């Protein structure tokens, strides 16, 4: 008789613990307030490599408009930008660099770029170049958003 009681008691206890574990009372579940998704660790470089020609084509029109560059200065600036982005890609793709050495090399590259830039721009224009925002303009973003909406409707 005692064996049957112990067996039934064991079943009752296991059912009770099963429901407690199923509820996960001690953990915040996905979708609840305060949930933080687990971090995704990446062993890749922190900054992705860029296409030098595409980046130069984004930056160049804004610089021509802002600094009123002539054809010669435009070509010099284009070559300097392409050279800078190619050197950045070399630094970023080198697996032997850790984060600190990569940051140092990138800062040195920027300093050299600004020294070269002083050959065609004044000091004031270089300071203005440093603070310029070269991401897409609001008008371009609005056009893309409109086109996406049109494509969804059709």
């Amino acid at each position: 008789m005692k064996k049957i009681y112990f067996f039934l008691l064991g079943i009752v206890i296991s059912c009770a613990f099963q429901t407690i574990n199923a509820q996960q009372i001690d953990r915040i579940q996905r979708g609840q307030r305060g949930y933080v998704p687990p971090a995704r660790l990446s062993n890749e470089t922190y900054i992705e490599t860029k296409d030098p020609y595409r980046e130069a084509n984004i930056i160049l029109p804004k610089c021509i408009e802002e600094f009123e560059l002539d054809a010669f200065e435009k070509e010099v600036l284009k070559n300097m930008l392409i050279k800078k982005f190619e050197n950045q890609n070399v630094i970023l793709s080198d697996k032997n660099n850790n984060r600190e050495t990569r940051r140092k090399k990138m800062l040195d590259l920027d300093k050299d770029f600004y020294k070269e830039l002083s050959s065609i721009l004044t000091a004031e224009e270089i300071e203005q170049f440093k603070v310029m925002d070269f991401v897409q303009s609001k008008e371009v973003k609005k056009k893309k958003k409109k086109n996406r909406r049109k494509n969804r409707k059709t």
Side-chain angles (χ1 to χ4, degrees):
M1 196 66 155
K2 287 184 179 182
K3 288 183 182 180
I4 294 174
Y5 287 126
F6 283 120
F7 181 71
L8 290 175
L9 182 66
I11 291 175
V12 169
I13 290 173
S14 65
C15 289
F17 280 116
Q18 185 177 9
T19 58
I20 290 172
N21 287 334
Q23 296 294 324
Q24 295 181 353
I25 296 171
D26 58 337
R27 295 188 208 153
I28 298 173
Q29 295 175 346
R30 188 172 179 192
Q32 288 181 336
R33 181 176 282 173
Y35 174 74
V36 178
R40 293 181 183 168
L41 298 176
S42 175
N43 295 332
E44 298 296 318
T45 56
Y46 293 99
I47 306 168
E48 296 178 356
T49 57
K50 301 175 182 175
D51 180 28
Y53 293 98
R54 197 177 113 237
E55 294 296 321
N57 288 336
I58 292 171
I59 294 173
L60 199 58
K62 293 182 181 181
C63 289
I64 292 170
E65 180 183 318
E66 187 71 30
F67 305 124
E68 300 172 356
L69 302 176
D70 61 2
F72 176 74
E73 291 172 336
K74 173 185 159 187
E75 288 301 317
V76 171
L77 180 62
K78 183 177 180 179
N79 290 334
M80 288 169 48
L81 288 169
I82 290 172
K83 180 180 166 190
K84 176 189 173 194
F85 288 118
E86 286 175 346
N87 290 338
Q88 274 184 355
N89 288 343
V90 169
I91 292 169
L92 295 174
S93 62
D94 187 12
K95 299 289 182 186
N96 295 333
N97 290 336
N98 61 8
R99 187 174 184 172
E100 189 61 33
T101 58
R102 187 181 308 125
R103 189 176 69 67
K104 255 185 205 174
K105 287 181 181 181
M106 295 292 276
L107 289 174
D108 291 339
L109 183 66
D110 281 342
K111 287 178 186 175
D112 292 340
F113 174 72
Y114 293 132
K115 284 180 186 175
E116 289 179 22
L117 201 59
S118 65
S119 65
I120 58 171
L121 298 177
T122 64
E124 295 167 356
E125 290 175 333
I126 292 173
E127 291 302 318
Q128 191 176 358
F129 179 84
K130 288 179 183 179
V131 297
M132 283 178 69
D133 186 21
F134 294 110
V135 293
Q136 294 176 341
S137 64
K138 291 181 181 178
E139 295 84 23
V140 174
K141 287 182 182 180
K142 285 182 182 178
K143 276 186 179 179
K144 285 186 177 182
K145 197 172 185 180
K146 269 187 179 179
N147 288 339
R148 275 191 237 129
R149 286 182 183 169
K150 286 181 183 178
N151 290 339
R152 276 191 234 151
K153 290 180 181 178
T154 58

